[in-house]
PDB file of all heavy atoms in Angstrom:
ATOM      1  N   LEU A 652      10.545  68.961  64.606  1.00 97.00           N
ATOM      2  CA  LEU A 652      10.520  68.799  66.066  1.00 97.00           C
ATOM      3  C   LEU A 652      11.887  68.433  66.656  1.00 97.00           C
ATOM      4  O   LEU A 652      12.262  68.889  67.713  1.00 97.00           O
ATOM      5  CB  LEU A 652       9.542  67.631  66.386  1.00 97.00           C
ATOM      6  CG  LEU A 652       8.084  67.938  66.323  1.00 97.00           C
ATOM      7  CD1 LEU A 652       7.271  66.695  66.313  1.00 97.00           C
ATOM      8  CD2 LEU A 652       7.699  68.812  67.521  1.00 97.00           C
ATOM      9  N   HIS A 653      12.640  67.512  65.904  1.00 98.00           N
ATOM     10  CA  HIS A 653      13.944  67.177  66.420  1.00 98.00           C
ATOM     11  C   HIS A 653      14.909  68.325  66.422  1.00 98.00           C
ATOM     12  O   HIS A 653      15.808  68.422  67.300  1.00 98.00           O
ATOM     13  CB  HIS A 653      14.456  65.962  65.668  1.00 98.00           C
ATOM     14  CG  HIS A 653      13.738  64.651  66.049  1.00 98.00           C
ATOM     15  ND1 HIS A 653      14.317  63.693  66.878  1.00 98.00           N
ATOM     16  CD2 HIS A 653      12.534  64.269  65.762  1.00 98.00           C
ATOM     17  CE1 HIS A 653      13.449  62.744  67.079  1.00 98.00           C
ATOM     18  NE2 HIS A 653      12.322  63.012  66.405  1.00 98.00           N
ATOM     19  N   ASP A 654      14.771  69.250  65.433  1.00 98.00           N
ATOM     20  CA  ASP A 654      15.585  70.435  65.415  1.00 98.00           C
ATOM     21  C   ASP A 654      15.268  71.308  66.659  1.00 98.00           C
ATOM     22  O   ASP A 654      16.142  71.854  67.345  1.00 98.00           O
ATOM     23  CB  ASP A 654      15.330  71.268  64.191  1.00 98.00           C
ATOM     24  CG  ASP A 654      15.942  70.586  62.915  1.00 98.00           C
ATOM     25  OD1 ASP A 654      16.448  69.453  63.037  1.00 98.00           O
ATOM     26  OD2 ASP A 654      15.884  71.222  61.871  1.00 98.00           O
ATOM     27  N   GLU A 657      16.785  69.978  69.794  1.00 98.00           N
ATOM     28  CA  GLU A 657      18.219  70.278  69.863  1.00 98.00           C
ATOM     29  C   GLU A 657      18.488  71.691  70.263  1.00 98.00           C
ATOM     30  O   GLU A 657      19.401  71.989  71.059  1.00 98.00           O
ATOM     31  CB  GLU A 657      18.905  69.877  68.564  1.00 98.00           C
ATOM     32  CG  GLU A 657      19.020  68.352  68.375  1.00 98.00           C
ATOM     33  CD  GLU A 657      19.448  67.944  66.980  1.00 98.00           C
ATOM     34  OE1 GLU A 657      20.309  68.646  66.396  1.00 98.00           O
ATOM     35  OE2 GLU A 657      18.925  66.940  66.520  1.00 98.00           O
ATOM     36  N   GLU A 710      -6.410  89.976  68.840  1.00 94.00           N
ATOM     37  CA  GLU A 710      -7.825  90.239  68.971  1.00 94.00           C
ATOM     38  C   GLU A 710      -8.144  90.586  70.435  1.00 94.00           C
ATOM     39  O   GLU A 710      -8.840  91.569  70.739  1.00 94.00           O
ATOM     40  CB  GLU A 710      -8.618  88.966  68.550  1.00 94.00           C
ATOM     41  CG  GLU A 710     -10.098  89.004  68.791  1.00 94.00           C
ATOM     42  CD  GLU A 710     -10.855  89.738  67.686  1.00 94.00           C
ATOM     43  OE1 GLU A 710     -10.390  89.707  66.550  1.00 94.00           O
ATOM     44  OE2 GLU A 710     -11.952  90.286  68.032  1.00 94.00           O
ATOM     45  N   ARG A 732       4.572  72.043  68.882  1.00 92.00           N
ATOM     46  CA  ARG A 732       4.551  71.130  69.977  1.00 92.00           C
ATOM     47  C   ARG A 732       5.724  71.239  70.919  1.00 92.00           C
ATOM     48  O   ARG A 732       5.666  70.986  72.152  1.00 92.00           O
ATOM     49  CB  ARG A 732       4.469  69.709  69.472  1.00 92.00           C
ATOM     50  CG  ARG A 732       3.033  69.342  69.049  1.00 92.00           C
ATOM     51  CD  ARG A 732       2.927  67.895  68.654  1.00 92.00           C
ATOM     52  NE  ARG A 732       3.573  67.038  69.600  1.00 92.00           N
ATOM     53  CZ  ARG A 732       3.837  65.707  69.348  1.00 92.00           C
ATOM     54  NH1 ARG A 732       3.601  65.278  68.174  1.00 92.00           N
ATOM     55  NH2 ARG A 732       4.397  64.988  70.261  1.00 92.00           N
ATOM     56  N   VAL A 734       8.101  74.083  72.211  1.00 96.00           N
ATOM     57  CA  VAL A 734       8.419  75.505  72.215  1.00 96.00           C
ATOM     58  C   VAL A 734       9.236  75.758  73.501  1.00 96.00           C
ATOM     59  O   VAL A 734       9.159  75.049  74.462  1.00 96.00           O
ATOM     60  CB  VAL A 734       7.135  76.395  72.238  1.00 96.00           C
ATOM     61  CG1 VAL A 734       6.414  76.314  70.892  1.00 96.00           C
ATOM     62  CG2 VAL A 734       6.181  76.030  73.381  1.00 96.00           C
ATOM     63  N   HIS A 737       6.935  78.047  78.293  1.00 96.00           N
ATOM     64  CA  HIS A 737       5.632  77.569  78.526  1.00 96.00           C
ATOM     65  C   HIS A 737       4.883  78.577  79.397  1.00 96.00           C
ATOM     66  O   HIS A 737       5.493  79.445  79.990  1.00 96.00           O
ATOM     67  CB  HIS A 737       5.652  76.204  79.213  1.00 96.00           C
ATOM     68  CG  HIS A 737       6.309  75.149  78.342  1.00 96.00           C
ATOM     69  ND1 HIS A 737       7.377  74.480  78.692  1.00 96.00           N
ATOM     70  CD2 HIS A 737       5.964  74.723  77.076  1.00 96.00           C
ATOM     71  CE1 HIS A 737       7.729  73.626  77.729  1.00 96.00           C
ATOM     72  NE2 HIS A 737       6.877  73.785  76.741  1.00 96.00           N
ATOM     73  N   GLU A 767      -0.849  72.109  83.183  1.00 95.00           N
ATOM     74  CA  GLU A 767       0.318  72.375  84.038  1.00 95.00           C
ATOM     75  C   GLU A 767       0.249  73.737  84.636  1.00 95.00           C
ATOM     76  O   GLU A 767       0.591  73.995  85.782  1.00 95.00           O
ATOM     77  CB  GLU A 767       1.619  72.152  83.217  1.00 95.00           C
ATOM     78  CG  GLU A 767       1.853  70.681  82.911  1.00 95.00           C
ATOM     79  CD  GLU A 767       2.715  70.421  81.650  1.00 95.00           C
ATOM     80  OE1 GLU A 767       3.438  71.392  81.227  1.00 95.00           O
ATOM     81  OE2 GLU A 767       2.688  69.315  81.119  1.00 95.00           O
ATOM     82  N   GLY A 786     -10.768  76.471  70.591  1.00 96.00           N
ATOM     83  CA  GLY A 786     -10.877  75.040  70.105  1.00 96.00           C
ATOM     84  C   GLY A 786     -11.981  74.205  70.743  1.00 96.00           C
ATOM     85  O   GLY A 786     -11.922  72.994  70.612  1.00 96.00           O
ATOM     86  N   LYS A 787     -12.895  74.909  71.380  1.00 95.00           N
ATOM     87  CA  LYS A 787     -13.987  74.178  72.044  1.00 95.00           C
ATOM     88  C   LYS A 787     -14.722  73.253  71.035  1.00 95.00           C
ATOM     89  O   LYS A 787     -15.176  72.205  71.377  1.00 95.00           O
ATOM     90  CB  LYS A 787     -14.978  75.161  72.637  1.00 95.00           C
ATOM     91  CG  LYS A 787     -16.047  74.549  73.519  1.00 95.00           C
ATOM     92  CD  LYS A 787     -16.861  75.637  74.178  1.00 95.00           C
ATOM     93  CE  LYS A 787     -17.903  75.045  75.099  1.00 95.00           C
ATOM     94  NZ  LYS A 787     -18.759  76.086  75.741  1.00 95.00           N
ATOM     95  N   SER A 788     -14.853  73.753  69.779  1.00 94.00           N
ATOM     96  CA  SER A 788     -15.616  72.965  68.785  1.00 94.00           C
ATOM     97  C   SER A 788     -14.743  72.122  67.876  1.00 94.00           C
ATOM     98  O   SER A 788     -15.258  71.558  66.907  1.00 94.00           O
ATOM     99  CB  SER A 788     -16.389  73.992  67.956  1.00 94.00           C
ATOM    100  OG  SER A 788     -15.523  74.878  67.330  1.00 94.00           O
TER     101      SER A 788
ATOM    102  N   SER B1254       6.583  69.406  77.101  1.00 89.00           N
ATOM    103  CA  SER B1254       6.876  70.236  78.282  1.00 89.00           C
ATOM    104  C   SER B1254       8.361  70.144  78.617  1.00 89.00           C
ATOM    105  O   SER B1254       8.938  71.129  79.061  1.00 89.00           O
ATOM    106  CB  SER B1254       6.063  69.665  79.481  1.00 89.00           C
ATOM    107  OG  SER B1254       4.717  69.600  79.151  1.00 89.00           O
ATOM    108  N   HIS B1256      10.731  69.292  76.381  1.00 95.00           N
ATOM    109  CA  HIS B1256      11.461  69.451  75.109  1.00 95.00           C
ATOM    110  C   HIS B1256      12.321  68.241  74.829  1.00 95.00           C
ATOM    111  O   HIS B1256      13.400  68.400  74.296  1.00 95.00           O
ATOM    112  CB  HIS B1256      12.436  70.639  75.161  1.00 95.00           C
ATOM    113  CG  HIS B1256      11.833  71.930  75.679  1.00 95.00           C
ATOM    114  ND1 HIS B1256      12.431  72.672  76.662  1.00 95.00           N
ATOM    115  CD2 HIS B1256      10.712  72.608  75.298  1.00 95.00           C
ATOM    116  CE1 HIS B1256      11.672  73.747  76.870  1.00 95.00           C
ATOM    117  NE2 HIS B1256      10.657  73.696  76.094  1.00 95.00           N
ATOM    118  N   ARG B1257      11.869  67.071  75.200  1.00 97.00           N
ATOM    119  CA  ARG B1257      12.787  65.868  75.083  1.00 97.00           C
ATOM    120  C   ARG B1257      12.040  64.692  74.572  1.00 97.00           C
ATOM    121  O   ARG B1257      10.834  64.554  74.799  1.00 97.00           O
ATOM    122  CB  ARG B1257      13.359  65.522  76.457  1.00 97.00           C
ATOM    123  CG  ARG B1257      14.414  66.458  76.920  1.00 97.00           C
ATOM    124  CD  ARG B1257      14.796  66.169  78.370  1.00 97.00           C
ATOM    125  NE  ARG B1257      15.891  67.046  78.735  1.00 97.00           N
ATOM    126  CZ  ARG B1257      16.259  67.228  79.998  1.00 97.00           C
ATOM    127  NH1 ARG B1257      15.678  66.618  80.983  1.00 97.00           N
ATOM    128  NH2 ARG B1257      17.267  68.025  80.282  1.00 97.00           N
ATOM    129  N   ARG B1323      15.375  59.123  66.380  1.00 98.00           N
ATOM    130  CA  ARG B1323      16.076  60.370  66.127  1.00 98.00           C
ATOM    131  C   ARG B1323      16.405  60.525  64.616  1.00 98.00           C
ATOM    132  O   ARG B1323      16.171  61.604  64.061  1.00 98.00           O
ATOM    133  CB  ARG B1323      17.389  60.461  66.946  1.00 98.00           C
ATOM    134  CG  ARG B1323      17.164  60.566  68.423  1.00 98.00           C
ATOM    135  CD  ARG B1323      16.912  61.983  68.840  1.00 98.00           C
ATOM    136  NE  ARG B1323      18.083  62.842  68.683  1.00 98.00           N
ATOM    137  CZ  ARG B1323      18.094  64.117  68.268  1.00 98.00           C
ATOM    138  NH1 ARG B1323      16.961  64.692  67.942  1.00 98.00           N
ATOM    139  NH2 ARG B1323      19.237  64.824  68.179  1.00 98.00           N
ATOM    140  N   ALA B1327      11.109  60.868  64.001  1.00 98.00           N
ATOM    141  CA  ALA B1327       9.826  60.305  64.427  1.00 98.00           C
ATOM    142  C   ALA B1327       9.217  61.212  65.530  1.00 98.00           C
ATOM    143  O   ALA B1327       9.909  61.832  66.316  1.00 98.00           O
ATOM    144  CB  ALA B1327      10.019  58.867  64.928  1.00 98.00           C
ATOM    145  N   GLU B1328       7.888  61.210  65.581  1.00 96.00           N
ATOM    146  CA  GLU B1328       7.155  61.808  66.673  1.00 96.00           C
ATOM    147  C   GLU B1328       6.769  60.735  67.674  1.00 96.00           C
ATOM    148  O   GLU B1328       6.502  60.941  68.844  1.00 96.00           O
ATOM    149  CB  GLU B1328       5.833  62.411  66.206  1.00 96.00           C
ATOM    150  CG  GLU B1328       5.970  63.749  65.482  1.00 96.00           C
ATOM    151  CD  GLU B1328       4.545  64.197  65.094  1.00 96.00           C
ATOM    152  OE1 GLU B1328       3.634  64.180  65.933  1.00 96.00           O
ATOM    153  OE2 GLU B1328       4.416  64.607  63.978  1.00 96.00           O
ATOM    154  N   GLU B1331       6.112  53.293  68.585  1.00 97.00           N
ATOM    155  CA  GLU B1331       5.466  52.549  69.651  1.00 97.00           C
ATOM    156  C   GLU B1331       5.401  51.061  69.246  1.00 97.00           C
ATOM    157  O   GLU B1331       5.048  50.735  68.116  1.00 97.00           O
ATOM    158  CB  GLU B1331       4.065  53.068  69.853  1.00 97.00           C
ATOM    159  CG  GLU B1331       3.277  52.382  70.981  1.00 97.00           C
ATOM    160  CD  GLU B1331       1.836  52.880  71.122  1.00 97.00           C
ATOM    161  OE1 GLU B1331       1.085  52.804  70.134  1.00 97.00           O
ATOM    162  OE2 GLU B1331       1.549  53.361  72.194  1.00 97.00           O
ATOM    163  N   ASP B1352       7.451  63.223  61.761  1.00 96.00           N
ATOM    164  CA  ASP B1352       7.150  64.610  61.806  1.00 96.00           C
ATOM    165  C   ASP B1352       6.910  65.156  60.421  1.00 96.00           C
ATOM    166  O   ASP B1352       7.820  65.121  59.601  1.00 96.00           O
ATOM    167  CB  ASP B1352       8.301  65.311  62.514  1.00 96.00           C
ATOM    168  CG  ASP B1352       8.131  66.835  62.552  1.00 96.00           C
ATOM    169  OD1 ASP B1352       7.045  67.314  62.248  1.00 96.00           O
ATOM    170  OD2 ASP B1352       9.115  67.517  62.915  1.00 96.00           O
ATOM    171  N   ARG B1358      13.366  66.007  54.441  1.00 97.00           N
ATOM    172  CA  ARG B1358      14.661  65.331  54.497  1.00 97.00           C
ATOM    173  C   ARG B1358      14.561  63.818  54.543  1.00 97.00           C
ATOM    174  O   ARG B1358      15.473  63.117  54.922  1.00 97.00           O
ATOM    175  CB  ARG B1358      15.554  65.883  55.632  1.00 97.00           C
ATOM    176  CG  ARG B1358      14.993  65.885  57.019  1.00 97.00           C
ATOM    177  CD  ARG B1358      15.838  66.743  57.932  1.00 97.00           C
ATOM    178  NE  ARG B1358      15.339  66.748  59.293  1.00 97.00           N
ATOM    179  CZ  ARG B1358      15.623  67.702  60.154  1.00 97.00           C
ATOM    180  NH1 ARG B1358      16.377  68.703  59.847  1.00 97.00           N
ATOM    181  NH2 ARG B1358      15.149  67.585  61.428  1.00 97.00           N
ATOM    182  N   ASN B1394      -7.719  84.383  59.417  1.00 92.00           N
ATOM    183  CA  ASN B1394      -6.256  84.393  59.290  1.00 92.00           C
ATOM    184  C   ASN B1394      -5.623  84.150  60.637  1.00 92.00           C
ATOM    185  O   ASN B1394      -5.702  85.017  61.476  1.00 92.00           O
ATOM    186  CB  ASN B1394      -5.745  85.665  58.587  1.00 92.00           C
ATOM    187  CG  ASN B1394      -6.157  86.923  59.322  1.00 92.00           C
ATOM    188  OD1 ASN B1394      -7.242  86.977  59.870  1.00 92.00           O
ATOM    189  ND2 ASN B1394      -5.245  87.849  59.328  1.00 92.00           N
ATOM    190  N   ASP B1404     -15.681  78.411  67.408  1.00 96.00           N
ATOM    191  CA  ASP B1404     -16.303  78.307  68.739  1.00 96.00           C
ATOM    192  C   ASP B1404     -17.440  79.286  68.877  1.00 96.00           C
ATOM    193  O   ASP B1404     -18.487  78.965  69.463  1.00 96.00           O
ATOM    194  CB  ASP B1404     -15.232  78.551  69.804  1.00 96.00           C
ATOM    195  CG  ASP B1404     -14.124  77.501  69.815  1.00 96.00           C
ATOM    196  OD1 ASP B1404     -14.371  76.465  69.153  1.00 96.00           O
ATOM    197  OD2 ASP B1404     -13.096  77.759  70.472  1.00 96.00           O
ATOM    198  N   ARG B1477     -16.133  90.410  58.368  1.00 96.00           N
ATOM    199  CA  ARG B1477     -15.512  91.250  59.405  1.00 96.00           C
ATOM    200  C   ARG B1477     -14.156  91.649  58.886  1.00 96.00           C
ATOM    201  O   ARG B1477     -13.366  90.817  58.490  1.00 96.00           O
ATOM    202  CB  ARG B1477     -15.413  90.467  60.727  1.00 96.00           C
ATOM    203  CG  ARG B1477     -14.941  91.262  61.877  1.00 96.00           C
ATOM    204  CD  ARG B1477     -13.487  91.163  62.127  1.00 96.00           C
ATOM    205  NE  ARG B1477     -13.141  91.901  63.383  1.00 96.00           N
ATOM    206  CZ  ARG B1477     -12.301  91.372  64.296  1.00 96.00           C
ATOM    207  NH1 ARG B1477     -11.783  90.249  64.105  1.00 96.00           N
ATOM    208  NH2 ARG B1477     -12.073  92.070  65.370  1.00 96.00           N
TER     209      ARG B1477
END
Side-chain angles (χ1 to χ4, degrees):
Chain A
L652 283 165
H653 285 256
D654 289 6
E657 287 169 37
E710 173 84 29
R732 279 184 50 193
V734 292
H737 297 121
E767 287 155 21
K787 190 177 181 179
S788 59
Chain B
S1254 306
H1256 313 129
R1257 286 172 176 165
R1323 290 279 291 142
E1328 284 182 45
E1331 183 182 58
D1352 176 12
R1358 53 193 183 201
N1394 58 324
D1404 296 347
R1477 186 264 186 135

